[in-house]
Amino acid sequence: MKTFLAVSLLLIATPTLADGPIVVTLQNHKFTPAEIHVKANTPAVIALTNKDATAEEFDSTSLKVEKVVAGNSSGNVRIRALEPGRYPFMGEYHSTTAEGVVVADK
C-alpha cells in the first residue's frame, strides 16, 4: 500500500509533458526546424542534436533557458509550460545564423 501511495504521489507531482521530445537538429549553425510548435500550458522537451563540430548554446531569454550542447553531441532542453505566444531562441555562439522560435499554440 505504501508503494502504491508513493507512486501515486509521484505521478501527481510530475508535470505532464507533450507527446514526446521535439526533435531539433543544429547543422551548419542553423536549427531545423527553426519554428517549433508546442501545446500551450504544457511543459515540453526539445531533443537537440548538434551535428556541427563545435559546441553551441541554445539560449532564450523569453524561455528562460540556456543549454550548451557539445559538437557532434545531443542534449535535452526542457521548456516550461508557456502561455500562448511566440518565444524566440538562438544559438549563442552563432546568433546571426542559428535562430528560431517556439510557438505555444492553444
Side-chain angles (χ1 to χ4, degrees), residues 16-40:
T16 303
L17 296 176
D19 295 336
I22 300 160
V23 177
V24 176
T25 302
L26 178 73
Q27 189 168 22
N28 299 321
H29 310 301
K30 294 182 182 176
F31 291 107
T32 303
E35 184 168 296
I36 301 165
H37 289 263
V38 299
K39 185 176 178 184

Side-chain angles (χ1 to χ4, degrees), residues 2 5 11 16 27 32-33 39 45-46 58 61 64 69 71 75-76 78 81 83 91-92 94-96 101:
K2 288 182 182 180
L5 182 59
L11 290 174
T16 303
Q27 189 168 22
T32 303
K39 185 176 178 184
V45 174
I46 296 172
F58 183 100
T61 303
K64 300 178 184 174
V69 178
N76 289 332
R78 298 191 180 279
E83 296 291 323
E92 180 72 24
H94 300 93
S95 59
T96 58
V101 64

Side-chain angles (χ1 to χ4, degrees), residues 35-57:
E35 184 168 296
I36 301 165
H37 289 263
V38 299
K39 185 176 178 184
N41 303 309
T42 303
V45 174
I46 296 172
L48 178 60
T49 300
N50 182 357
K51 292 189 175 182
D52 289 337
T54 58
E56 184 60 90
E57 181 177 0

